Amino acid sequence: VQLQASGGGLVQPGGSLTLSCAASGSIFSIGRMAWYRQAPGKQRELVATITSDSIRNYADSVQGRFTISRDNAKNTVSLQMNSLKPEDTAVYYCRAEGLNLRRVTFGSWGQGTQVTVSS
């Protein structure tokens, strides 16, 4: 199963960006989908998660500013980011976990997309 992320870029503080991620390949079902991020010199951290029935959880640092959503029919997950701050600058990675067509569990990462918040 492959994940393709898109939507990163340069934005001014207070601005907005939407990241998207599409899963493809031998997918039977996808359970948890998530966005992580990794800033320079820091460990990768969890930003937001969403279950197959759309239960969402967010890191405290993005609560109220970011919104995760998914389209189960298209196997996509998105991250709407508002009120962006310089500390949101990082490479953002999507992740999906589920079952492939052989009913074997998978956990796949997207390739990462750079988000830079700067004036």
Side-chain angles (χ1 to χ4, degrees):
V1 176
Q2 300 81 38
L3 299 183
Q4 180 70 43
S6 62
L10 173 64
V11 63
Q12 292 187 342
S16 298
L17 274 178
T18 299
L19 306 181
S20 299
C21 178
S24 62
S26 302
I27 300 168
F28 174 73
S29 66
I30 298 178
R32 176 180 176 270
M33 303 186 84
W35 286 95
Y36 290 74
R37 68 186 180 187
Q38 187 166 18
K42 295 187 177 182
Q43 290 188 331
R44 190 172 297 188
E45 65 173 354
L46 180 63
V47 175
T49 64
I50 185 168
T51 66
S52 56
D53 52 357
S54 295
I55 296 174
R56 300 169 171 85
N57 280 288
Y58 298 93
D60 290 344
S61 59
V62 308
Q63 181 76 46
R65 300 188 297 121
F66 291 10
T67 301
I68 189 170
S69 59
R70 65 189 284 172
D71 184 327
N72 290 331
K74 297 180 179 179
N75 291 328
T76 60
V77 62
S78 298
L79 186 69
Q80 172 68 43
M81 305 183 292
N82 298 325
S83 302
L84 283 160
K85 305 175 180 180
E87 51 264 42
D88 295 317
T89 295
V91 178
Y92 284 69
Y93 299 90
C94 56
R95 179 169 175 82
E97 299 166 354
L99 294 175
N100 64 19
L101 292 178
R102 294 178 293 169
R103 306 302 191 269
V104 174
T105 59
F106 70 86
S108 296
W109 291 95
Q111 82 281 14
T113 184
Q114 176 71 46
V115 172
T116 303
V117 184
S118 175
S119 55

